[in-house]
Amino acid sequence: MQTDCIFCRIISGSEQARVIYEDARSIAFFPRTLYSKGHTLILPKEHYSDIFDMPGEIASSLMKTSKKLSEKYRKILGCEGVNLMNASGAAAQQSVFHFHFHLMPRFIDDGINTWPGLDPWEGDIDGLEKLLRTNTLQAN
């Protein structure tokens, strides 16, 4: 536990939160501000700064928790979809450096736009494909 981490303090019980779900490896609770009905943070109980710091088995466990909660929320809240979002690293606008997913239940015509208006990347796509394909497929 890191005492300077708000999420670690929530996990230890020294900070209050509206906990929705908890198991041996993960915890899920409402953020201070909900941006959709049921907006929930899902995170590992152990402190990992971001996706680069977190072991694969913990990531797999969190994805299972995210799927379980998504299915429950669809049944309980009647949402028609979900956004599962993560920001890892300062360049990605991560604001709390304890890995977490935002699970945002979505409803038709809810007025939420989670996809920002981005300009298309105009770099060398052929070179990028070759670089990534060569270095990721062979790494398996």
Side-chain angles (χ1 to χ4, degrees):
M1 181 179 116
Q2 295 194 6
T3 57
D4 62 335
C5 173
I6 182 75
F7 290 172
C8 285
R9 291 194 308 271
I10 288 170
I11 293 162
S12 74
S14 64
E15 188 86 29
Q16 289 189 322
R18 295 176 185 267
V19 176
I20 303 303
Y21 175 84
E22 189 171 1
D23 62 28
R25 288 186 155 176
S26 61
I27 188 168
F29 52 85
F30 288 159
R32 290 209 168 117
T33 303
L34 279 69
Y35 292 101
S36 73
K37 180 181 179 181
H39 178 185
T40 303
L41 302 179
I42 303 168
L43 52 140
K45 287 186 172 179
E46 292 181 60
H47 184 91
Y48 301 103
S49 297
D50 53 35
I51 198 164
F52 307 108
D53 183 38
M54 187 172 50
E57 64 272 7
I58 300 296
S60 294
S61 175
L62 284 181
M63 186 54 69
K64 287 178 183 176
T65 298
S66 299
K67 178 172 174 41
K68 179 188 295 187
L69 291 179
S70 295
E71 290 174 345
K72 294 283 187 184
Y73 283 22
R74 182 168 62 175
K75 196 179 277 186
I76 296 165
L77 300 176
C79 59
E80 291 106 349
V82 298
N83 286 112
L84 188 60
M85 301 180 292
N86 166 260
S88 280
Q93 300 174 316
Q94 184 176 1
S95 61
V96 177
F97 288 85
H98 183 126
F99 182 89
H100 59 285
F101 285 124
H102 288 258
L103 172 62
M104 294 188 62
R106 297 300 303 275
F107 304 86
I108 299 296
D109 298 325
D110 62 14
I112 298 171
N113 181 6
T114 57
W115 296 102
L118 301 174
D119 293 329
W121 182 72
E122 295 182 5
D124 175 13
I125 195 165
D126 293 329
L128 179 64
E129 177 188 13
K130 181 178 179 184
L131 173 70
L132 294 176
R133 183 179 296 275
T134 301
N135 290 292
T136 58
L137 291 180
Q138 292 179 0
N140 292 335

